[in-house]
């Protein structure tokens, strides 16, 4: 990343393990997400902040870039052929597009009972409910809860088509930076990956850092990494005519 | 991947319903709980882009990530249970003479064609236009309801290194897949019109749906 393109930090916040948050990442801003302790996982959704029927489309994203792994240089496409976010920096090399999120029943089956009544704010949260709550805050609903990206997690596919979760993929200090070339509604929750075999409910915290950019120069590598990305950025630029 | 091809004993003349979907067209219909649906690739290498919804409450629909996670397998074939976003079985694949069906490739669209191939490909016909047209005519569904679909008869291998490619189909004339409905479902199909990649063998052709009680 060309640090000359980055202005001062706008804001910083720590999301505790199990936490959930949504906000608009403004056009030209960068969101850096940092794994503070190692072993974090962040389930991420992206939508057009002004017309949220336009949203992250993982099949378009994967087939457009001929990849199953997401990392630096990749763009995250909406279903309208635009770039909701570009991965301009990444120390992990692989973020997972397939694992999804668990619901309440699946969390109870995996970790046992963990109610608020006994555990207070340490209760066992689940990705479906966390993301539904954030969707509800923008007057969205179950219909809008589509495929999510699980940042910091790696799941490989073997020759037979079976999945293999790779433990210990993300280390303390690992980070990923998302550049928004349009106003993008970001919804996220910091919970363990559904395929993580760890038997204890122990979601890790992440740090969020917002910065402004002086130009879109830091997206150049993403624009140029594939001709498809150049066209998706073209569609995004055209959107702002 | 080892493919287990499981044929069906059902005879087309016993079907209670049959409909041929011409190349490139949408089709929306319902299948009742307990009925069996066959999707038939009449001429071979035809991608049949399909979405499923609960007929009783269409906000409950096919959930690709939960479906893949629960079977720990990226491709669909006989024995695959298609789960809903509420974690309930929508349908189960009970026969399959093709052996592998794609879950990650999604549907083509004007907008994605402009990204994948060339800006000028925007005006070619596409699956998501088909989905929208069928949804809006039906009235129960709209754009928000069009999520990631299944591509029956389509071959999109994932490599251990994390690559993803569109390959020539593993299907052939007369190949089919059969699904038993576990609840009353709305079936939304686009018989794919894509001409820019080999998913239809460069030649979109008709597909047939058959339903047995």
């Amino acid at each position: 990343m060309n640090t000359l393109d980055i202005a001062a930090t706008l804001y910083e916040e720590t999301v505790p393990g199990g936490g959930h948050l949504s906000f608009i990442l403004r056009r030209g801003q960068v969101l850096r997400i940092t794994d503070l302790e190692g072993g974090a996982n962040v389930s991420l959704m992206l939508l057009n902040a002004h017309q949220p029927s336009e949203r992250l489309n993982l099949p378009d994203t994967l087939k457009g870039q001929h990849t199953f792994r997401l990392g630096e240089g990749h763009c995250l496409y909406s279903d309208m052929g635009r770039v909701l976010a570009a991965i301009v920096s990444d120390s992990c090399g692989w973020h997972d597009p397939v694992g999804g999120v668990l619901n309440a029943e699946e969390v109870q089956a995996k970790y046992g009972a963990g109610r608020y009544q006994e555990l207070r704010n340490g209760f066992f949260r689940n990705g479906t409910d966390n993301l539904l709550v954030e969707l509800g805050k923008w007057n969205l609903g179950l219909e809008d809860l589509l495929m999510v990206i699980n940042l910091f997690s790696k799941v490989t596919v073997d020759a037979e088509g079976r999945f293999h979760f790779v433990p210990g993929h993300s280390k303390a200090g690992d980070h990923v930076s998302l550049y928004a070339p349009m106003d993008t509604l970001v919804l996220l929750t910091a919970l363990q990956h559904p395929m993580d075999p760890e038997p204890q409910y122990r979601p890790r915290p992440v740090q969020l850092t917002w910065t402004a950019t002086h130009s879109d120069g830091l997206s150049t590598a993403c624009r140029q990494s594939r001709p498809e990305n150049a066209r998706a950025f073209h569609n995004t630029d055209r959107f702002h005519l | 991947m080892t493919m287990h091809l499981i044929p069906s004993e059902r005879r087309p003349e016993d079907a209670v319903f049959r409909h041929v979907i011409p190349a490139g067209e949408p089709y929306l219909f319902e299948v009742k709980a307990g009925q069996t649906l066959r999707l038939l690739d009449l001429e071979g290498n035809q991608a049949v882009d399909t979405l499923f919804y609960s007929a009783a409450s269409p906000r409950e629909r096919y959930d690709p990530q939960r479906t893949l996670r629960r079977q720990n397998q990226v491709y669909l074939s006989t024995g695959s249970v298609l789960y809903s976003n509420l974690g309930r079985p929508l349908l189960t694949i009970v026969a399959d003479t093709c052996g592998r069906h794609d879950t990650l490739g999604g549907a083509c669209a004007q907008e994605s064609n402009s990204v994948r191939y060339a800006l000028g490909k925007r005006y070619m016909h596409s699956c998501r236009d088909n989905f929208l047209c069928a949804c809006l005519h039906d009235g129960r569904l709209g754009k928000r309801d069009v999520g990631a679909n299944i591509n029956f008869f389509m071959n999109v291998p994932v490599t251990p290194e994390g690559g993803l490619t569109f390959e020539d189909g593993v299907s052939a004339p007369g190949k089919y897949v059969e699904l038993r409905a576990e609840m009353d479902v709305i079936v939304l199909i686009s018989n794919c019109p894509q001409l820019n990649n080999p998913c239809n063998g460069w030649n979109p052709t008709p597909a047939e749906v058959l339903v047995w009680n």
Side-chain angles (χ1 to χ4, degrees):
Chain A
M1 186 189 295
N2 181 351
T3 52
L4 294 176
D5 290 325
I6 303 270
T9 296
L10 297 170
Y11 197 73
E12 284 189 287
E13 182 161 319
T14 298
V15 178
H20 49 85
L21 186 67
S22 57
F23 52 88
I24 295 174
L25 188 65
R26 307 275 173 201
R27 181 185 183 195
Q29 291 180 349
V30 174
L31 173 70
R32 172 174 287 218
I33 308 173
T34 304
D35 180 355
L36 291 172
E37 300 177 359
N41 177 78
V42 172
S43 300
L44 177 77
M45 298 179 62
L46 303 172
L47 303 92
N48 176 339
H50 306 296
Q51 177 48 273
S53 68
E54 175 178 4
R55 57 243 172 130
L56 174 67
N57 188 301
L58 273 175
D60 285 5
T61 297
L62 301 180
K63 70 189 175 190
Q65 298 171 97
H66 295 269
T67 190
F68 178 72
R69 59 192 286 179
L70 294 168
E72 186 169 310
H74 286 133
C75 294
L76 306 177
Y77 298 163
S78 78
D79 65 292
M80 299 301 285
R82 293 186 271 261
V83 180
L84 287 163
I87 304 177
V88 292
S89 169
D90 166 38
S91 64
C92 275
W94 189 308
H95 304 274
D96 169 51
V98 80
V101 289
L102 298 178
N103 64 22
E105 293 75 21
E106 290 164 331
V107 162
Q108 178 157 351
K110 183 164 186 174
Y111 303 112
R115 302 191 304 174
Y116 177 86
Q117 182 161 293
E118 291 80 21
L119 301 177
R120 295 304 188 224
N121 276 303
F123 77 99
F124 295 178
R125 298 174 189 254
N126 69 84
T128 297
D129 289 354
N130 284 0
L131 291 173
L132 269 181
V133 165
E134 292 304 325
L135 285 165
K137 292 172 183 175
W138 300 87
N139 203 25
L140 301 168
L142 184 68
E143 297 88 338
D144 305 293
L145 181 50
L146 303 182
M147 294 174 73
V148 303
I149 296 171
N150 280 307
L151 297 173
F152 302 113
S153 290
K154 179 175 182 177
V155 176
T156 61
V157 176
D158 68 20
E160 302 292 309
R162 289 183 301 255
F163 297 119
H164 299 275
F165 180 85
V166 178
H169 175 58
S170 177
K171 310 290 191 290
D174 271 334
H175 56 85
V176 56
S177 292
L178 304 174
Y179 168 81
M182 55 193 279
D183 289 350
T184 296
L185 176 58
V186 177
L187 295 87
L188 57 83
T189 182
L191 284 168
Q192 284 146 291
H193 190 283
M195 297 173 181
D196 186 340
E198 179 174 341
Q200 303 298 320
Y201 175 81
R202 199 159 72 85
R204 273 68 160 193
V206 294
Q207 179 86 359
L208 305 183
T209 308
W210 286 259
T211 53
T213 55
H214 295 305
S215 74
D216 66 354
L218 89 168
S219 69
T220 302
C222 289
R223 284 178 187 263
Q224 296 177 346
S225 60
R226 297 190 62 93
E228 291 90 344
N229 291 349
R231 290 190 287 268
F233 265 99
H234 173 98
N235 288 342
T236 314
D237 294 341
R238 177 182 166 178
F239 184 56
H240 294 106
L241 287 178
Chain B
M1 174 185 155
T2 314
M3 296 201 196
H4 302 285
L5 304 185
I6 308 292
S8 165
E9 303 287 309
R10 292 181 180 81
R11 301 186 308 170
E13 53 268 34
D14 296 332
V16 295
F17 178 75
R18 297 180 71 167
H19 176 79
V20 174
I21 311 172
E25 293 193 14
Y27 192 54
L28 186 152
F29 61 109
E30 291 187 26
V31 176
K32 300 295 182 193
Q35 287 186 322
T36 299
L37 164 68
R38 178 184 292 184
L39 304 173
L40 173 59
D41 185 0
L42 287 167
E43 299 183 28
N45 282 341
Q46 176 57 39
V48 178
D49 291 44
T50 307
L51 285 162
F52 298 103
Y53 305 82
S54 161
S57 176
R59 67 202 289 271
E60 180 172 11
R61 73 276 309 271
Y62 167 65
D63 181 333
Q65 289 182 324
R66 178 166 281 106
T67 295
L68 298 188
R69 190 171 70 232
R70 288 197 177 177
Q71 68 170 15
N72 196 41
Q73 166 63 247
V74 74
Y75 312 111
L76 301 177
S77 188
T78 307
S80 292
V81 177
L82 309 184
Y83 283 98
S84 77
N85 54 347
L86 301 182
R88 301 197 300 166
L90 284 168
L91 303 102
T92 304
I93 299 181
V94 293
D96 180 14
T97 62
C98 181
R100 173 190 283 196
H101 306 273
D102 165 63
T103 55
L104 293 178
C108 61
Q110 284 197 310
E111 293 77 16
S112 77
N113 281 348
S114 80
V115 171
R116 293 180 71 196
Y117 306 110
L119 296 175
K121 302 289 188 187
R122 175 179 296 274
Y123 298 99
M124 296 176 76
H125 193 37
S126 71
C127 281
R128 293 221 292 272
D129 282 4
N130 270 337
F131 283 153
L132 279 176
C133 193
C135 284
L136 298 190
H137 275 290
D138 180 74
R140 288 173 290 182
L141 301 170
K143 181 175 183 294
R144 287 170 79 195
D145 302 301
V146 179
N149 57 284
I150 299 168
N151 291 305
F152 288 108
F153 309 115
M154 205 164 99
N155 186 21
V156 182
V158 178
T159 69
E161 297 75 33
L164 182 126
T165 54
F166 278 63
E167 294 198 356
D168 215 347
V170 288
S171 191
K175 297 266 188 183
Y176 59 82
V177 57
E178 278 187 12
L179 305 102
R180 182 182 64 238
E182 309 295 355
M183 64 174 78
D184 294 354
V185 291
I186 300 169
V187 184
L188 173 59
I189 289 176
S190 168
N191 192 15
C192 181
Q194 181 61 268
L195 291 169
N196 295 297
N197 74 42
C199 70
N200 302 314
W202 310 102
N203 178 33
T205 50
E208 185 172 5
V209 297
L210 302 90
V211 179
W212 288 265
N213 283 326

